[in-house]
Amino acid sequence: MALPGTGRATSPTPSALPPLEMELHVTRRKVHVAGRRGEGYCVNGQMPGPVLRWQEGREVCIHVHNHMDEPTSLHWHGIRLPSDQDGVPGLSFAGIPAGGKFTYSFPVLQSGTYWYHSHMGHQESAGLYGALIIDPAGESPLPTADRDHTILLSDWSDVSAEQIVANLKMQDDYYNFRQRSMASLPEESRRAGGLLPALKSRLQWSRMRMSATDISDVSGVIYTYLMNGESPAQGWSGLFRPGERVCLRVINAAAMTLFDVRIPGLEMQVVEADGNPVVPVPVDEFRIAPGETYVVMVTPQEARPYTIFAQSEDRTGHARGTLTPRLGLLGDVPPMDPRPVRGMVDMGMAMPMMAGMKNMAGMAMPPVLQRTPADEIDDPGPPPLNVENQNIAAHPVERVGSPGDGLEGTGRRVLAYSDLVALRPPPDQRPPSREIILHLTGNMERYIWGFNGRKYSESGPIHLARGERVRFTVINDTMMEHPLHLHGLWSELENGADDQHRPLKHTVISQPGSRMSVLVTADAPGVWAYHCHLMYHMQTGMFREVVIS
Amino acid sequence: MKTGNMMSLVMLACFLAPSVRAMDGMAGQSQMGQMETHDMSGMDMSGMDMSDMSDMDDMDMPEMSHPAARNVRPAPQQVRQKTPRIVHKAVDAPAPRVDIGHHMHGMDMGRWFHGVLDEFEGRYQTGGRSSLRWDGEAWYGGDYNRLWLKSEGTMTKGRVRDGDQELLYSRAISTYFNLQGGVRLDLDSGPARAWGAVGVEGLALYQFEVQATGYFSDRGVAGRFEGSYDILLTNRLILQPQVELNLYSRADPRRQVGSGLADIDTGLRLRYEVWRKMAPYVAVTYDSPLTQGRHMARKRGERASEARFTFGIRSWF
């Protein structure tokens, strides 16, 4: 397999080089993780797969061999490419049949940190993923680093994905052992400031037939959280010398887990989000959802091990790694933070707090977020309350300024989407001609997810005209985060930055009870997938086709 | 603005030196311009309406290279005032009824098979009148359409009574409720009876599990209500009050069923979920014929009712 080194290309233009040829072999075998046996998928014998290194401007030619008795696919997450190379079976190609071979071939037009994974069935949740790093054609937009480590986070269970979904269909809180109970009532009363407020809150949730403790559908009860495939007992280790600037490329390849990542004792400079350079933001912690990538720079000064601590959002477990001056050292593992509890804001029922706030529209859009109005707004209206939807966010709020549930008031500086300022102006600065409002909906009780109260199989595609500039406004009527991934196109996040500084992302978290918007230039014709990157939300309906023609 | 951003601006001075040069080289050649120089098979940029990009001419290009040099928030007057046209095209209108054969398309149309044995218990009573009771259901199907099988019965001294088997088609009709219809067969040691059945099943306000079913046959009509509620003492120790009531329009003496509110079967079960699918429990249960049925039982010289110590296992697959 040809893997170019980290060095810069010496030839005048990478596009003049012959295509970069790679051979990838997909197999399935028994794997041992944290003492438990399970069925895992490997690329070239590894789980996670090898780190692929491409070069901006140079074509790639990737031969994928399927050595299994089931079809497979590889999707290049966040990569701009012709839609027939995107690797979504049934949408962009037919899949790679059992025992078959497929050659992906396309020019690489971007640089940064990305990843690849299967888009077939449940293969991704069982380990078929790996990191993908693209070296820039010219000078790197990132600060120079002395070392470069890739950190791929994932969740692993020996329970099969089919079994997990089946269990959730029968009992939605199957994996949640942190529910409110009689035993937790004294603690809740203390926090709520009395028994009556605590009981009132319970009655409210119980009346809605929902649960305030519903943070992650699948928890550490069955998941082992991995860093580069290593379980937290020992964890992955990366070397540094004191004073060196270390580049950490963090990728969340988990099926169902949002991670909150920090390195106690080290400040992190966020320099890249979803492959695109941003103005460095110093933070202590950041949340990364499945599908997202962040590149952070750290400069450890002391010759001691530093723990990279990635706790799951629901605080039922963590992935762990160590930056260490020499192998074999382990740092302290900090205690888990208190787990988040959903509130009325997450239900989209944030009541107008400030007196004098006259109109509701003004409340939904604080002055900091000004959006150029589109000529036309396609508004489906509030979603129906039906079999597939159990809630309507009556008062969705802007939450790009919030780091997310459980991360407010930690005393640490936590990255919020509003902190992301693009280093390069986005390529298209036209105002949107059309705004498409989409509601994220779901019925936790029946475990059905979707858009606008309909799951994928019941909905047609979203049609965009080629070259059109649209705004997707996403209202999250559910009480969970949904990392939305739009294939093949950039999502330019309207996070309060002006036309030339809005960050380009491929995966954007829609926070519970929030209203969020991205601008999309429909410059790549074809059929693209648009879905929640929580695997079991996607597989139970939160998926749409976007057709550009 | 967060302090993080302010600091980032300062940090930028040191970090940006190389990238500013890089961007100068790009001046006037946005990322899109770069992309056009590549032959993207199948990705056609020519369709993009560049005339709309005239705005870019007004941009102060040198400033673009120095995002940190100014506030990145737009000035209020930048936002054009206009009134958008609101349409309801429903961009993601329902899919056509034909199966377009997409591989992904069927992924949310899975079918599942589950069964739960809510009650599988021994009810202890002196005088050799202890009994074995079961009550469970199984279903197969997707999100909307399912086939349900319900079964319950009580066995005492080798004789089964209250044996009730139902085969129902279940259709999801609302967020929390299913409409069910089918047949009920009273199959036990007594004479067999057949009924048509129509009912609803679901999760009521405040998370009460309820089932209400009406039955009809040439013997009149009957009704059954079942309800239960889970009280979490801890996340594994769960106290569950449960009740089942039966009503009949006409008495059926051969099955020892009286008319009116015929009988009650209720229990207070304390289960421990060793794992979700396996929970042993202890309980106090009480079952009794009511009204006319009570008189009928007394005539037969049976003890009509008694609260009994019960232990059992709740399980599902």
Side-chain angles (χ1 to χ4, degrees), chain A residues 488-510:
Chain A
L489 304 163
W490 287 121
S491 294
E492 189 182 320
L493 178 63
E494 293 194 291
N495 66 343
D498 64 18
D499 289 354
Q500 292 162 52
H501 298 93
R502 280 192 284 264
L504 296 180
K505 294 190 99 259
H506 48 63
T507 310
V508 184
I509 301 175
S510 164

Side-chain angles (χ1 to χ4, degrees), chain B residues 225-272:
Chain B
F225 172 82
E226 289 170 81
S228 69
Y229 187 77
D230 278 356
I231 302 164
L232 274 65
L233 302 181
T234 73
N235 271 274
R236 289 180 189 271
L237 190 63
I238 297 163
L239 186 67
Q240 186 203 54
Q242 162 273 332
V243 66
E244 175 187 325
L245 293 165
N246 281 293
L247 298 97
Y248 292 86
S249 67
R250 267 194 269 164
D252 186 351
R254 292 182 59 205
R255 285 187 60 82
Q256 299 161 23
V257 167
S259 69
L261 190 56
D263 61 66
I264 183 172
D265 188 294
T266 181
L268 185 64
R269 293 176 178 78
L270 180 66
R271 71 173 187 266
Y272 184 80

Side-chain angles (χ1 to χ4, degrees), chain A residues 203-394:
Chain A
L203 276 178
Q204 254 178 329
W205 282 100
S206 157
R207 188 182 155 77
M208 294 183 297
R209 290 165 276 201
M210 294 167 101
S211 162
T213 57
D214 183 11
I215 307 297
S216 303
D217 297 341
V218 189
S219 71
V221 169
I222 58 161
Y223 273 150
T224 304
Y225 301 105
L226 307 179
M227 188 176 290
N228 291 335
E230 302 283 344
S231 59
Q234 193 68 25
W236 166 87
S237 283
L239 287 173
F240 73 92
R241 278 198 208 98
E244 278 184 334
R245 189 190 283 156
V246 183
C247 171
L248 302 175
R249 301 172 183 270
V250 186
I251 300 160
N252 187 349
M256 289 297 287
T257 309
L258 288 84
F259 287 103
D260 297 331
V261 184
R262 65 193 151 106
I263 308 174
L266 278 188
E267 180 185 272
M268 300 183 278
Q269 299 277 344
V270 179
V271 294
E272 186 192 294
D274 286 10
N276 291 288
V278 294
V279 175
V281 193
V283 297
D284 300 318
E285 187 171 19
F286 62 92
R287 170 163 291 176
I288 185 167
E292 288 188 302
T293 63
Y294 283 107
V295 175
V296 298
M297 297 282 173
V298 292
T299 313
Q301 297 292 350
E302 296 167 49
R304 67 169 177 93
Y306 292 88
T307 298
I308 305 167
F309 184 65
Q311 52 183 343
S312 70
E313 188 201 2
D314 67 352
R315 313 295 184 235
T316 55
H318 64 269
R320 177 247 197 132
T322 313
L323 284 179
T324 175
R326 57 177 196 278
L327 288 176
L329 296 182
L330 285 179
D332 294 333
V333 177
M336 211 88 78
D337 281 338
R339 58 183 186 268
V341 176
R342 304 287 190 205
M344 286 297 124
V345 171
D346 301 302
M347 301 285 308
M349 294 177 187
M351 288 297 140
M353 295 294 178
M354 292 156 77
M357 189 82 79
K358 288 188 189 79
N359 60 350
M360 301 304 278
M363 199 209 65
M365 291 192 191
V368 67
L369 269 187
Q370 285 165 334
R371 295 175 168 98
T372 313
D375 302 327
E376 185 181 289
I377 298 178
D378 196 335
D379 184 2
L385 285 175
N386 60 10
V387 170
E388 299 178 33
N389 181 39
Q390 68 181 149
N391 186 50
I392 295 169

Side-chain angles (χ1 to χ4, degrees), chain A residues 167 169 174 179 182 280 375-377 379 388 390 414 425 429 454-455 457 460 466 498 500-501 544, chain B residues 2 8 23 44 59 64 67 72 82 85 87-88 92-93 108 114 143-144 176 232 235 276-277:
Chain A
N167 286 341
K169 285 277 179 188
Y174 190 91
Q179 297 181 73
M182 294 306 280
D375 302 327
E376 185 181 289
I377 298 178
D379 184 2
E388 299 178 33
Q390 68 181 149
V414 190
Q429 285 148 6
R454 278 199 299 271
K455 58 182 180 177
S457 56
R466 190 192 295 181
D498 64 18
Q500 292 162 52
H501 298 93
R544 279 289 187 279
Chain B
K2 291 189 56 160
S8 71
M23 292 181 75
D44 185 4
M59 287 186 311
M64 263 170 66
V72 298
K82 63 177 173 183
R85 190 166 63 250
V87 297
H88 303 283
D92 64 338
D108 60 18
H114 283 295
D143 286 331
Y144 280 88
Y176 303 105
L232 274 65
N235 271 274
R276 284 280 189 231
K277 292 176 180 172

Side-chain angles (χ1 to χ4, degrees), chain B residues 3 7 24 109 123 143 152 162 179-180 186 199 217 242 244 297:
Chain B
T3 51
M7 289 189 66
D24 283 342
M109 296 166 79
R123 297 180 170 182
D143 286 331
E152 67 170 75
D162 195 20
L179 184 67
Q180 303 187 320
D186 294 338
S217 77
Q242 162 273 332
E244 175 187 325

